[in-house]
Amino acid sequence: MDSSLQSSHCSTADRSCAETAPVIVVGAGPVGVHFANRLTESLPEQSIKLFGAEPELPYDRVRLSDLLGGRRSWHEVFTPLAVDQPNLQPFYHCAIREIHTGDSCVVDAQGRRHSYSKLVIATGSRARVPDIPGVGLNHVYSFRDLRDTEKLSARCVASRHVVVIGGGLLGVEAGHAMARYHTHVTVVQQAPYLMNRQLDEVAARYLENSLLSSGLSVRTGAGVRALLPDPSNVSAVGAVLLRNGVSLPCDTVVFATGIVPNVALARAAGIAVGRGIKVDSTLRTSAEGVYAIGECAEFCGQLYGLVAPGLEQASVVAAHLAGRPVFYMGSMSAARLKVAGEQVFSAGIVSEDETTLTLQPVVFEDNKRGLYRKLLIYRGQLVGVIAYGAWDEAVRMQEMVCQRRRVFLWQLKRFQRSGSLWDQGDAVAAVSSWPRAALVCNCRSVTRGQLSDAIASGCDSVACLAVTTGASTVCGSCEGLLQNLVTGSAKATATPAPVVALTAVSAAVAAILLVVLTQYSVPVSSSVQQMSWWELLSTDSFYKQVTGYSMICAGLLGLAVSLKKRVLIKRLGHFNYWRLWHLGMGVLAIALLMLHTGFESGDNLNQWLLYDFLALAMAGSVAGLAVSAERQLGLRQGKRLRSWTHWSHLLLSWPLPALLIFHITSVYYF
């Protein structure tokens, strides 16, 4: 960290009276730091003071389970402040004890007064510990902050049997992390199944089986009545007594039974408080100039216990203070973790019981591969998703749920067959084709457009994108998408040669056909002696048969593209070259048609045959242009246009065989 940003403790003389009143942030967790960084970016001249009660530098609580499990080092959990910003002044190990809204100032632990122009409360939450007998015994811990992690890391080596009380997201992560030294771990969950707020019963069963296979024990539907002391050491825990009378001997207990928002500071200041600090759509509290963000904030009766909504709220307040009309409309709950090497994921609505909406569940399950995926659809829109097992599309699915994007019938049919909404992993393989507003990093609310702009500005690595945009710096699950975007962006600059040729030929054919369709007829000679060579070909019986059957052969040779598409998928060249072959045969067939008809349209069904063939050729050339333009239009619009032109081309081909048979039969018959 830059020397100008080193922490200032409470003993530092207060300079606020001599300066313009700064924006004060109470809370140096991920949300408070994110707000300070965002406001610094928007208003670099704005003075900001950041107060943190803990002695450590700001750190990321999301990574504490990885730290406890040995999957991350200590330095990887710390969250840096924006560097080279002298107007951003951090105060660590310096808690705020009082807020005086009438005087627009706060008082720190040493009695120092700090005036503010705006105050942002980001005090977060603390671990909820149930009021049951025995919670004060030794070797009983909660799992919430860095100190808890330090204590559990030290205790992990000496423990033989750990009981984790709480089978939610945090409890499952803590249980898996505590088993790193082959310590026996039992997860006790009062609900009927694990992670009942993020998963359904089927996904929870997969998760439970995974924990069991990794050596953990699980007890669901089991509440805790009391903690019992160790007979040989009455000051330490010795067992957990369940409500059904079963006693689980243990030497360590970890509570992961939820969180309680830290609202005491706001309540003492007379700010409106419910379960959390009540805020409006600008995250403003009932006090003038005071905002609340993160786990301590209550919006429309909703509390958010995950970091991503807090980061979103921080960005909203920063934008609002910078003068932009931004409003907070609530956040989508999403959870993603790895347990025993398996991915667990959920986003949005995960149960029909939590809403009055009539939802359509669509399920894919593969027992052999241990995959389970469930979509919840409301009026064609994706509103919820649950998954167990590796899924490359998880991040894109979360973005779809967040934006309530439409899911089409054919996508649902594909999902039921293969477990994927897209062909061949298009959701991941074409990150650069995602909409600009699509979220790639949901934790930091970083869109594909922001990442593409960073790449255009010179970022050529995932590390550079992480520093510039903050993407992948929370849970790290989007690192693969960033790598795909970095490597894919370089490839996107050069258009493949077959695509260039396809564009040129398609455009040329379309132009020729427009001329032919608008000015098809040519002057006819009044005398046989003055007939042009094409009129001689079109009137001579032998040459008419040659041009006619040659035209049919050209059409059949053009259909070889279907063989390549359906049978010889990985052989005989790139498919774009076969598209060129198909188009070339179409051009040859048109030329032979002109010679066959002598530029005469004919009558009745023969005329319909001619116009149908020309319309078919025109649809084919437009389809070729659509394929070429897909890279510029983006994945969604490009596929929609390509699909429309493709089906138009096929539709126009259906009458052709019947009309052709009628034409040949009538010619030979008469």
Short mmCIF file of all heavy atoms in Angstrom, two decimals, residues 373-413:
data_model
loop_
_atom_site.label_atom_id
_atom_site.label_comp_id
_atom_site.label_asym_id
_atom_site.label_seq_id
_atom_site.Cartn_x
_atom_site.Cartn_y
_atom_site.Cartn_z
N ARG A 373 -29.45 -30.13 -12.29
CA ARG A 373 -29.71 -28.74 -12.64
C ARG A 373 -31.22 -28.51 -12.74
O ARG A 373 -31.93 -29.33 -13.31
CB ARG A 373 -29.03 -28.38 -13.97
CG ARG A 373 -27.52 -28.52 -13.93
CD ARG A 373 -26.89 -28.53 -15.30
NE ARG A 373 -25.47 -28.84 -15.21
CZ ARG A 373 -24.70 -29.09 -16.25
NH1 ARG A 373 -25.21 -29.06 -17.48
NH2 ARG A 373 -23.42 -29.37 -16.08
N LYS A 374 -31.63 -27.39 -12.20
CA LYS A 374 -33.06 -27.08 -12.19
C LYS A 374 -33.26 -25.61 -12.53
O LYS A 374 -32.63 -24.73 -11.94
CB LYS A 374 -33.65 -27.38 -10.81
CG LYS A 374 -35.14 -27.09 -10.67
CD LYS A 374 -35.61 -27.44 -9.27
CE LYS A 374 -37.10 -27.19 -9.08
NZ LYS A 374 -37.54 -27.53 -7.71
N LEU A 375 -34.14 -25.36 -13.50
CA LEU A 375 -34.51 -24.00 -13.87
C LEU A 375 -35.93 -23.73 -13.39
O LEU A 375 -36.79 -24.60 -13.45
CB LEU A 375 -34.45 -23.82 -15.39
CG LEU A 375 -33.15 -24.21 -16.11
CD1 LEU A 375 -33.28 -23.93 -17.59
CD2 LEU A 375 -31.96 -23.49 -15.52
N LEU A 376 -36.18 -22.51 -12.95
CA LEU A 376 -37.52 -22.08 -12.57
C LEU A 376 -37.92 -20.95 -13.51
O LEU A 376 -37.26 -19.91 -13.56
CB LEU A 376 -37.55 -21.62 -11.11
CG LEU A 376 -37.34 -22.75 -10.09
CD1 LEU A 376 -37.20 -22.19 -8.69
CD2 LEU A 376 -38.51 -23.74 -10.14
N ILE A 377 -38.99 -21.18 -14.27
CA ILE A 377 -39.42 -20.27 -15.32
C ILE A 377 -40.75 -19.62 -14.93
O ILE A 377 -41.66 -20.29 -14.43
CB ILE A 377 -39.61 -21.02 -16.65
CG1 ILE A 377 -38.38 -21.90 -16.96
CG2 ILE A 377 -39.87 -20.05 -17.78
CD1 ILE A 377 -37.12 -21.14 -17.17
N TYR A 378 -40.84 -18.31 -15.15
CA TYR A 378 -42.09 -17.60 -14.94
C TYR A 378 -42.40 -16.81 -16.21
O TYR A 378 -41.68 -15.90 -16.58
CB TYR A 378 -42.00 -16.66 -13.75
CG TYR A 378 -43.23 -15.80 -13.56
CD1 TYR A 378 -44.45 -16.37 -13.19
CD2 TYR A 378 -43.18 -14.42 -13.77
CE1 TYR A 378 -45.58 -15.59 -13.03
CE2 TYR A 378 -44.31 -13.64 -13.61
CZ TYR A 378 -45.51 -14.23 -13.24
OH TYR A 378 -46.64 -13.45 -13.08
N ARG A 379 -43.47 -17.22 -16.90
CA ARG A 379 -43.90 -16.57 -18.13
C ARG A 379 -42.76 -16.43 -19.14
O ARG A 379 -42.55 -15.39 -19.75
CB ARG A 379 -44.51 -15.20 -17.84
CG ARG A 379 -45.83 -15.27 -17.07
CD ARG A 379 -46.44 -13.90 -16.88
NE ARG A 379 -47.73 -13.99 -16.20
CZ ARG A 379 -48.49 -12.95 -15.88
NH1 ARG A 379 -48.06 -11.72 -16.19
NH2 ARG A 379 -49.64 -13.11 -15.26
N GLY A 380 -42.02 -17.51 -19.29
CA GLY A 380 -40.94 -17.56 -20.27
C GLY A 380 -39.65 -16.94 -19.82
O GLY A 380 -38.66 -16.96 -20.56
N GLN A 381 -39.61 -16.37 -18.61
CA GLN A 381 -38.40 -15.74 -18.10
C GLN A 381 -37.75 -16.61 -17.04
O GLN A 381 -38.44 -17.25 -16.24
CB GLN A 381 -38.72 -14.36 -17.51
CG GLN A 381 -39.25 -13.36 -18.52
CD GLN A 381 -39.67 -12.06 -17.86
OE1 GLN A 381 -40.22 -12.06 -16.77
NE2 GLN A 381 -39.43 -10.95 -18.54
N LEU A 382 -36.41 -16.61 -17.03
CA LEU A 382 -35.67 -17.38 -16.04
C LEU A 382 -35.58 -16.58 -14.75
O LEU A 382 -34.98 -15.50 -14.71
CB LEU A 382 -34.27 -17.69 -16.57
CG LEU A 382 -33.41 -18.61 -15.71
CD1 LEU A 382 -34.04 -19.99 -15.59
CD2 LEU A 382 -32.00 -18.74 -16.27
N VAL A 383 -36.17 -17.10 -13.67
CA VAL A 383 -36.19 -16.38 -12.39
C VAL A 383 -35.41 -17.11 -11.31
O VAL A 383 -35.20 -16.55 -10.23
CB VAL A 383 -37.64 -16.14 -11.92
CG1 VAL A 383 -38.39 -15.27 -12.91
CG2 VAL A 383 -38.39 -17.47 -11.70
N GLY A 384 -35.01 -18.35 -11.54
CA GLY A 384 -34.26 -19.08 -10.54
C GLY A 384 -33.53 -20.26 -11.14
O GLY A 384 -33.96 -20.82 -12.17
N VAL A 385 -32.42 -20.65 -10.53
CA VAL A 385 -31.65 -21.78 -11.01
C VAL A 385 -30.93 -22.43 -9.84
O VAL A 385 -30.47 -21.74 -8.92
CB VAL A 385 -30.65 -21.35 -12.11
CG1 VAL A 385 -29.69 -20.30 -11.59
CG2 VAL A 385 -29.87 -22.53 -12.65
N ILE A 386 -30.86 -23.75 -9.85
CA ILE A 386 -30.15 -24.54 -8.85
C ILE A 386 -29.30 -25.54 -9.60
O ILE A 386 -29.75 -26.12 -10.60
CB ILE A 386 -31.12 -25.29 -7.91
CG1 ILE A 386 -32.05 -24.31 -7.19
CG2 ILE A 386 -30.37 -26.13 -6.89
CD1 ILE A 386 -33.18 -25.00 -6.45
N ALA A 387 -28.08 -25.77 -9.13
CA ALA A 387 -27.23 -26.74 -9.81
C ALA A 387 -26.27 -27.38 -8.83
O ALA A 387 -25.80 -26.75 -7.89
CB ALA A 387 -26.45 -26.07 -10.94
N TYR A 388 -26.00 -28.65 -9.08
CA TYR A 388 -24.95 -29.36 -8.36
C TYR A 388 -24.07 -30.03 -9.40
O TYR A 388 -24.56 -30.71 -10.31
CB TYR A 388 -25.52 -30.42 -7.41
CG TYR A 388 -24.43 -31.19 -6.69
CD1 TYR A 388 -23.89 -30.70 -5.51
CD2 TYR A 388 -23.90 -32.36 -7.22
CE1 TYR A 388 -22.86 -31.36 -4.86
CE2 TYR A 388 -22.86 -33.03 -6.59
CZ TYR A 388 -22.36 -32.52 -5.41
OH TYR A 388 -21.33 -33.18 -4.78
N GLY A 389 -22.77 -29.85 -9.27
CA GLY A 389 -21.83 -30.42 -10.22
C GLY A 389 -21.26 -29.34 -11.13
O GLY A 389 -21.81 -28.24 -11.25
N ALA A 390 -20.16 -29.65 -11.77
CA ALA A 390 -19.47 -28.68 -12.63
C ALA A 390 -20.39 -28.20 -13.74
O ALA A 390 -21.08 -28.99 -14.39
CB ALA A 390 -18.21 -29.31 -13.21
N TRP A 391 -20.40 -26.88 -13.96
CA TRP A 391 -21.26 -26.29 -14.98
C TRP A 391 -20.60 -25.02 -15.49
O TRP A 391 -20.55 -24.01 -14.80
CB TRP A 391 -22.64 -25.99 -14.41
CG TRP A 391 -23.69 -25.74 -15.45
CD1 TRP A 391 -23.58 -25.94 -16.78
CD2 TRP A 391 -25.03 -25.28 -15.22
NE1 TRP A 391 -24.75 -25.63 -17.42
CE2 TRP A 391 -25.66 -25.23 -16.48
CE3 TRP A 391 -25.74 -24.91 -14.08
CZ2 TRP A 391 -26.97 -24.80 -16.63
CZ3 TRP A 391 -27.05 -24.49 -14.23
CH2 TRP A 391 -27.67 -24.44 -15.48
N ASP A 392 -20.09 -25.06 -16.72
CA ASP A 392 -19.40 -23.92 -17.29
C ASP A 392 -20.32 -22.73 -17.50
O ASP A 392 -19.87 -21.59 -17.59
CB ASP A 392 -18.76 -24.30 -18.64
CG ASP A 392 -17.59 -25.26 -18.46
OD1 ASP A 392 -17.02 -25.29 -17.35
OD2 ASP A 392 -17.27 -25.98 -19.41
N GLU A 393 -21.61 -22.98 -17.58
CA GLU A 393 -22.56 -21.92 -17.87
C GLU A 393 -23.08 -21.22 -16.61
O GLU A 393 -23.94 -20.35 -16.70
CB GLU A 393 -23.76 -22.48 -18.65
CG GLU A 393 -23.39 -23.06 -20.00
CD GLU A 393 -24.58 -23.73 -20.68
OE1 GLU A 393 -25.66 -23.79 -20.05
OE2 GLU A 393 -24.43 -24.20 -21.81
N ALA A 394 -22.56 -21.57 -15.44
CA ALA A 394 -23.13 -21.08 -14.19
C ALA A 394 -23.15 -19.55 -14.12
O ALA A 394 -24.16 -18.95 -13.75
CB ALA A 394 -22.36 -21.66 -13.00
N VAL A 395 -22.04 -18.91 -14.47
CA VAL A 395 -21.97 -17.45 -14.38
C VAL A 395 -22.97 -16.82 -15.35
O VAL A 395 -23.66 -15.86 -15.01
CB VAL A 395 -20.55 -16.96 -14.66
CG1 VAL A 395 -20.50 -15.44 -14.67
CG2 VAL A 395 -19.60 -17.49 -13.60
N ARG A 396 -23.05 -17.36 -16.57
CA ARG A 396 -24.01 -16.82 -17.54
C ARG A 396 -25.44 -17.05 -17.07
O ARG A 396 -26.32 -16.19 -17.26
CB ARG A 396 -23.78 -17.48 -18.90
CG ARG A 396 -24.67 -16.87 -20.00
CD ARG A 396 -24.23 -15.45 -20.35
NE ARG A 396 -25.20 -14.75 -21.17
CZ ARG A 396 -25.25 -14.83 -22.49
NH1 ARG A 396 -24.39 -15.61 -23.13
NH2 ARG A 396 -26.12 -14.14 -23.17
N MET A 397 -25.70 -18.17 -16.43
CA MET A 397 -27.03 -18.44 -15.90
C MET A 397 -27.39 -17.42 -14.82
O MET A 397 -28.53 -16.95 -14.74
CB MET A 397 -27.10 -19.85 -15.33
CG MET A 397 -26.90 -20.97 -16.35
SD MET A 397 -28.14 -20.99 -17.66
CE MET A 397 -29.61 -21.30 -16.71
N GLN A 398 -26.42 -17.08 -13.98
CA GLN A 398 -26.67 -16.09 -12.94
C GLN A 398 -27.02 -14.74 -13.56
O GLN A 398 -27.92 -14.04 -13.08
CB GLN A 398 -25.44 -15.96 -12.03
CG GLN A 398 -25.63 -15.00 -10.88
CD GLN A 398 -24.49 -15.05 -9.89
OE1 GLN A 398 -23.81 -16.07 -9.77
NE2 GLN A 398 -24.28 -13.97 -9.17
N GLU A 399 -26.32 -14.38 -14.63
CA GLU A 399 -26.63 -13.13 -15.31
C GLU A 399 -28.03 -13.17 -15.91
O GLU A 399 -28.78 -12.18 -15.87
CB GLU A 399 -25.58 -12.88 -16.39
CG GLU A 399 -25.67 -11.52 -17.05
CD GLU A 399 -26.63 -11.46 -18.21
OE1 GLU A 399 -26.87 -12.52 -18.83
OE2 GLU A 399 -27.16 -10.38 -18.51
N MET A 400 -28.43 -14.31 -16.45
CA MET A 400 -29.76 -14.43 -17.03
C MET A 400 -30.84 -14.31 -15.97
O MET A 400 -31.88 -13.69 -16.19
CB MET A 400 -29.89 -15.77 -17.77
CG MET A 400 -29.11 -15.85 -19.06
SD MET A 400 -29.55 -17.31 -20.03
CE MET A 400 -31.24 -16.97 -20.49
N VAL A 401 -30.61 -14.90 -14.80
CA VAL A 401 -31.57 -14.78 -13.71
C VAL A 401 -31.65 -13.34 -13.23
O VAL A 401 -32.74 -12.81 -13.00
CB VAL A 401 -31.19 -15.72 -12.54
CG1 VAL A 401 -32.09 -15.47 -11.34
CG2 VAL A 401 -31.30 -17.18 -12.97
N CYS A 402 -30.50 -12.70 -13.11
CA CYS A 402 -30.45 -11.32 -12.64
C CYS A 402 -31.23 -10.40 -13.58
O CYS A 402 -31.96 -9.51 -13.12
CB CYS A 402 -29.00 -10.87 -12.54
SG CYS A 402 -28.78 -9.20 -11.89
N GLN A 403 -31.12 -10.61 -14.88
CA GLN A 403 -31.80 -9.78 -15.87
C GLN A 403 -33.16 -10.34 -16.27
O GLN A 403 -33.86 -9.74 -17.08
CB GLN A 403 -30.92 -9.64 -17.12
CG GLN A 403 -29.55 -9.04 -16.85
CD GLN A 403 -29.63 -7.63 -16.32
OE1 GLN A 403 -30.52 -6.86 -16.69
NE2 GLN A 403 -28.70 -7.27 -15.44
N ARG A 404 -33.51 -11.50 -15.69
CA ARG A 404 -34.78 -12.18 -16.03
C ARG A 404 -34.92 -12.31 -17.55
O ARG A 404 -35.93 -11.94 -18.15
CB ARG A 404 -35.98 -11.44 -15.44
CG ARG A 404 -36.09 -11.58 -13.94
CD ARG A 404 -37.51 -11.36 -13.45
NE ARG A 404 -37.67 -11.78 -12.07
CZ ARG A 404 -38.84 -11.90 -11.44
NH1 ARG A 404 -39.95 -11.63 -12.10
NH2 ARG A 404 -38.91 -12.30 -10.20
N ARG A 405 -33.91 -12.86 -18.15
CA ARG A 405 -33.90 -13.01 -19.59
C ARG A 405 -34.83 -14.14 -20.02
O ARG A 405 -35.05 -15.10 -19.29
CB ARG A 405 -32.48 -13.25 -20.10
CG ARG A 405 -31.53 -12.09 -19.79
CD ARG A 405 -30.26 -12.18 -20.62
NE ARG A 405 -29.33 -11.13 -20.26
CZ ARG A 405 -29.38 -9.88 -20.71
NH1 ARG A 405 -30.34 -9.53 -21.55
NH2 ARG A 405 -28.48 -8.99 -20.33
N ARG A 406 -35.32 -14.01 -21.24
CA ARG A 406 -36.28 -14.98 -21.76
C ARG A 406 -35.58 -16.27 -22.17
O ARG A 406 -34.49 -16.24 -22.75
CB ARG A 406 -37.04 -14.39 -22.95
CG ARG A 406 -38.13 -15.29 -23.53
CD ARG A 406 -39.06 -14.50 -24.43
NE ARG A 406 -39.77 -13.49 -23.67
CZ ARG A 406 -40.87 -13.73 -22.95
NH1 ARG A 406 -41.35 -14.96 -22.89
NH2 ARG A 406 -41.47 -12.76 -22.30
N VAL A 407 -36.23 -17.38 -21.89
CA VAL A 407 -35.74 -18.70 -22.29
C VAL A 407 -36.76 -19.29 -23.25
O VAL A 407 -37.95 -19.36 -22.93
CB VAL A 407 -35.54 -19.64 -21.08
CG1 VAL A 407 -35.01 -20.98 -21.53
CG2 VAL A 407 -34.61 -19.01 -20.06
N PHE A 408 -36.30 -19.69 -24.42
CA PHE A 408 -37.21 -20.16 -25.45
C PHE A 408 -37.45 -21.66 -25.33
O PHE A 408 -36.68 -22.39 -24.69
CB PHE A 408 -36.65 -19.81 -26.83
CG PHE A 408 -36.52 -18.33 -27.05
CD1 PHE A 408 -35.29 -17.71 -26.89
CD2 PHE A 408 -37.62 -17.56 -27.39
CE1 PHE A 408 -35.16 -16.34 -27.07
CE2 PHE A 408 -37.50 -16.19 -27.58
CZ PHE A 408 -36.27 -15.58 -27.41
N LEU A 409 -38.53 -22.10 -25.97
CA LEU A 409 -38.96 -23.49 -25.85
C LEU A 409 -37.88 -24.45 -26.31
O LEU A 409 -37.62 -25.47 -25.65
CB LEU A 409 -40.25 -23.71 -26.65
CG LEU A 409 -40.84 -25.13 -26.62
CD1 LEU A 409 -41.20 -25.52 -25.19
CD2 LEU A 409 -42.07 -25.22 -27.52
N TRP A 410 -37.23 -24.14 -27.44
CA TRP A 410 -36.19 -25.06 -27.93
C TRP A 410 -34.98 -25.10 -27.00
O TRP A 410 -34.31 -26.12 -26.90
CB TRP A 410 -35.77 -24.68 -29.35
CG TRP A 410 -35.26 -23.29 -29.52
CD1 TRP A 410 -33.99 -22.85 -29.32
CD2 TRP A 410 -36.01 -22.14 -29.92
NE1 TRP A 410 -33.89 -21.51 -29.57
CE2 TRP A 410 -35.10 -21.04 -29.95
CE3 TRP A 410 -37.33 -21.93 -30.28
CZ2 TRP A 410 -35.51 -19.75 -30.30
CZ3 TRP A 410 -37.73 -20.65 -30.64
CH2 TRP A 410 -36.84 -19.59 -30.64
N GLN A 411 -34.73 -24.01 -26.29
CA GLN A 411 -33.65 -24.02 -25.31
C GLN A 411 -33.99 -24.93 -24.13
O GLN A 411 -33.12 -25.65 -23.63
CB GLN A 411 -33.37 -22.61 -24.80
CG GLN A 411 -32.71 -21.70 -25.82
CD GLN A 411 -32.43 -20.33 -25.25
OE1 GLN A 411 -33.33 -19.62 -24.82
NE2 GLN A 411 -31.17 -19.95 -25.25
N LEU A 412 -35.25 -24.91 -23.70
CA LEU A 412 -35.68 -25.78 -22.60
C LEU A 412 -35.61 -27.25 -23.01
O LEU A 412 -35.24 -28.11 -22.21
CB LEU A 412 -37.10 -25.41 -22.17
CG LEU A 412 -37.26 -24.01 -21.55
CD1 LEU A 412 -38.72 -23.77 -21.18
CD2 LEU A 412 -36.38 -23.86 -20.32
N LYS A 413 -35.97 -27.54 -24.26
CA LYS A 413 -35.89 -28.92 -24.74
C LYS A 413 -34.43 -29.38 -24.77
O LYS A 413 -34.12 -30.51 -24.37
CB LYS A 413 -36.50 -29.03 -26.14
CG LYS A 413 -38.00 -28.75 -26.18
CD LYS A 413 -38.78 -29.76 -25.37
CE LYS A 413 -40.29 -29.52 -25.49
NZ LYS A 413 -41.06 -30.46 -24.62
#
